[in-house]
Amino acid sequence: MSRHLDENIGELAGDGLQDGIDARRAQWARELPHVDTRGMAILGRARWITLAARPKIEAIFASYGLDTGEADVLFTLLRSGPPYRLRPTELYKSMMISSGGATNRIVKLVKAGLIRQVASDGDGRSLPVELTEEGLARAREAFEADMAVETLMLESLSWDEQAQLARLLRKLALSLGSSPSLE
């Protein structure tokens, strides 16, 4: 490319809004005007949004006595539907973590009484895990609280803007081959 877009994404959209990413892009436009920084305009903002949102989301989980990884296990079991049971392999593939990471989380949640391992008709090496009644209740409450906080975080966007952003992010995620799957 001969020159990256000198205008900021906000300026192109005509909204006049500027943020720290715009300032960084302007600095790069002066220093290395031939470098296209549109990736920074999108991926840099996505990273900043994630970093800004994490503390609020993690505080919700902590209020339910969970860390992010533990909440992920409980939510994965909850969204699997009744009987809220998965084999450890299904669990870790669904969460996109290593089997060792899943095992550590399972051990902690069993000790906390939020999940239990159940006898299996088949493979004795891979005991399914399921939510206990307490785990089911805590997972539902924590997920509802998390979604309420995330909804509040999006209030500055209209419903149409939220839908458009979701469509565009899905398209980008699919193009990168990184969209979460439901194996």
Side-chain angles (χ1 to χ4, degrees), residues 45-143:
R45 283 188 177 95
R47 182 174 186 273
W48 184 90
I49 289 165
T50 299
L51 292 173
R54 287 311 318 160
K56 293 172 186 150
I57 293 168
E58 289 169 359
I60 292 294
F61 298 157
S63 74
Y64 289 91
L66 304 168
D67 65 24
T68 301
E70 294 161 350
D72 193 17
V73 170
L74 296 182
F75 297 167
T76 299
L77 289 167
L78 178 61
R79 69 181 163 81
S80 74
Y84 311 110
R85 177 185 305 146
L86 293 171
R87 293 192 177 285
T89 301
E90 296 169 319
L91 191 61
Y92 86 77
K93 284 183 178 178
S94 181
M95 297 185 320
M96 298 179 301
I97 60 170
S98 70
S99 60
T103 300
N104 292 338
R105 293 173 185 180
I106 289 168
V107 167
K108 287 175 71 176
L109 290 167
V110 166
K111 285 181 183 176
L114 300 176
I115 65 173
R116 65 179 155 252
Q117 293 187 289
V118 294
S120 170
D121 295 336
D123 186 358
R125 297 170 296 154
S126 179
L127 294 176
V129 294
E130 69 182 13
L131 291 172
T132 62
E133 287 301 314
E134 182 182 347
L136 179 61
R138 192 166 320 171
R140 284 182 173 152
E141 291 172 16
F143 184 75

Side-chain angles (χ1 to χ4, degrees), residues 147-180:
M147 290 300 101
V149 165
E150 290 185 29
T151 297
L152 288 173
M153 290 180 192
L154 299 175
E155 278 188 327
S156 66
L157 302 175
S158 71
W159 283 92
D160 288 342
E161 289 169 330
Q162 290 177 40
Q164 180 182 15
L165 181 58
R167 281 191 302 274
L168 292 171
L169 290 172
R170 180 187 310 111
K171 183 177 180 179
L172 179 60
L174 289 170
S175 77
L176 296 172
S178 64
S179 182

